[in-house]
Amino acid sequence: MEVIEARNVVVGAGVVGAAAAYHLARRGEAVLLVEQFGLGHTRGSSHGATRIIRHSYADPNYARLMPRVYQLWHALEAQSATPLLTRTGGISVSPPGVPYAELVEAALVELGVPAQRLSAEAWNQRHPRFAVPSGSTVVFEPDVGILAAGRCVHVLLHEAERHGACIQPNTPIDRIELETSGVALLGKGLRIQADRAIVAAGSWIPILLPALAQVLTPTRQRVVYLGTADPGYGVGRLPVFIWIGAREEQAYYGMPDLDGRGVKMGRHHGPATNPNQADERVDEAYVDELRGFLRGFLPELAEAPLAATETCLYTMAPGEEFLVGAWPGRSDLLVAAACSGHGFKFGILVGEVLADLATGQTPMAGTERWGATLAGFLQG
Ligand SMILES: Cc1cc2nc3c(=O)[nH]c(=O)nc-3n(C[C@H](O)[C@H](O)[C@H](O)COP(=O)(O)OP(=O)(O)OC[C@H]3O[C@@H](n4cnc5c(N)ncnc54)[C@H](O)[C@@H]3O)c2cc1C
């Protein structure tokens, strides 16, 4: 049995774990990050080329945190001399009777973030490729953008290593044991004795920490890329779009063609799944459903050829809330389940919160509710 002693151990090299290692290492903390697969694998939630970043949230609690999130990503771009965020502009759209776009507008006004509200007719006139249904509300935010997801994770890990972190891929942790002091992380022929452990294992959190299996549900997400040679669907021409309809499953998002693979699109919800069973199928019925939505929103694109597909995991929590904080009664075990399909942009802030909690500092105001949510679920 190999026994390793470590001060801070991070489980998971997705955007959250990578960000936690990055922030801790930059503060001079010794960090060991373990990942069950190889770095850059495509089995979890953080792979692929792109993720949307926006201030445009209907929930002002999340919107208020976004200026800090943008600041942190821009700081990482400067530190690493690597472009990570492409500004594209973006629209939040909802039909009559669904207050999503109006709530987004209210949050942006509160923050003082530039934005414009338009009727469907006015938007369609300005962007003739769109056919937003009459009566809908459109809120355009110029600062919406795209994060280069895979590159973001790579740069976070690289910067963490540059500041002394040790990154160990292909090291699955099978069990976590709380000891009188410290935490033991056990794998095949391996025992890691940690002063502090940070579990950022995404969809595997309910497996590693079964007490959370009641509240966290891994779901399988399918993404399509629709190929078009029309420059009108490129960056600077087609904004990011988010449509929230009357029924929960009528939630669609899309983004302009960033890298020549086509317009990326998906539905926000997906079937529950077991993260240990990889399934990369994207069924025809799902593609037809997306085409059906596009026929009433971006009609030309609905008929574009399918250029590529991709699958990925969400870790859904009730109310799409984040659970980030210390295990009840144990400041040496921190957990971060910050996903529900909108966690990538926040990864760099969640990492900062974890580093603050680990080093006894007070995290940013507005993030403490994530710890209360975790405690609430664990203490019932
Ligand atoms: C299709 C899709 C579109 C999305 N779009 C957006 C978007 O536009 N904007 C946005 O902000 N968010 C978006 N998200 C959500 C976002 O990608 C996730 O919230 C985020 O990537 C979660 O990161 P994570 O680090 O928590 O999880 P992961 O990236 O899954 O990282 C967890 C890591 O832990 C490792 N691990 C698990 N168990 C163990 C173990 N036992 N031992 C060792 N390692 C282990 C896993 O292998 C994995 O690498 C999207 C997600 C999907 C799937």
Side-chain angles (χ1 to χ4, degrees), residues 135-154:
S136 302
T137 302
V138 179
V139 173
F140 174 69
E141 181 203 338
D143 285 340
V144 170
I146 294 176
L147 288 167
R151 197 188 306 154
C152 289
V153 177
H154 174 77

Side-chain angles (χ1 to χ4, degrees), residues 256-300:
D257 183 354
L258 189 73
D259 54 10
R261 283 204 298 163
V263 173
K264 176 180 173 179
M265 239 211 101
R267 169 160 45 85
H268 181 49
H269 296 283
T273 191
N274 173 347
N276 286 324
Q277 287 163 3
D279 180 353
E280 296 187 351
R281 285 167 307 138
V282 175
D283 51 292
E284 225 170 292
Y286 176 76
V287 179
D288 289 347
E289 179 203 327
L290 297 184
R291 290 189 190 282
F293 163 71
L294 285 173
R295 287 195 185 99
F297 193 79
L298 269 169
E300 259 176 37

Side-chain angles (χ1 to χ4, degrees), residues 88-172:
T88 59
I91 54 172
S92 305
V93 192
S94 51
V98 178
Y100 173 72
E102 287 84 351
L103 290 169
V104 165
E105 185 194 25
L108 294 176
V109 168
E110 182 202 304
L111 279 179
V113 168
Q116 201 186 359
R117 173 172 168 165
L118 303 99
S119 67
E121 291 70 19
W123 178 264
N124 294 340
Q125 198 169 19
R126 192 194 289 187
H127 293 269
R129 283 183 181 78
F130 280 89
V132 173
S134 178
S136 302
T137 302
V138 179
V139 173
F140 174 69
E141 181 203 338
D143 285 340
V144 170
I146 294 176
L147 288 167
R151 197 188 306 154
C152 289
V153 177
H154 174 77
V155 168
L156 284 166
L157 292 171
H158 179 75
E159 287 295 306
E161 267 184 326
R162 203 167 63 79
H163 287 88
C166 173
I167 314 274
Q168 206 168 307
N170 305 309
T171 306

Side-chain angles (χ1 to χ4, degrees), residues 11-17 34-37 41 44-46 51-52 171-173 200-204 208 221 223 253 255 312-314 338-339 341-345:
V11 181
V15 69
V16 174
V34 291
E35 163 56 50
Q36 63 182 340
F37 302 127
H41 69 87
S45 303
S46 298
R51 295 289 189 277
I52 298 168
T171 306
I173 298 299
S203 287
W204 286 264
L208 269 178
Q221 303 306 121
V223 165
Y253 63 88
M255 58 195 87
C312 171
L313 299 175
Y314 281 4
C339 181
H342 68 109
F344 193 97
K345 65 183 83 61

Side-chain angles (χ1 to χ4, degrees), residues 173 175-179 182-186 191-194 197:
I173 298 299
R175 211 167 68 245
I176 293 176
E177 289 177 358
L178 294 173
E179 306 203 311
V183 182
L185 301 112
L186 300 140
R191 180 186 188 88
I192 305 176
Q193 213 55 59

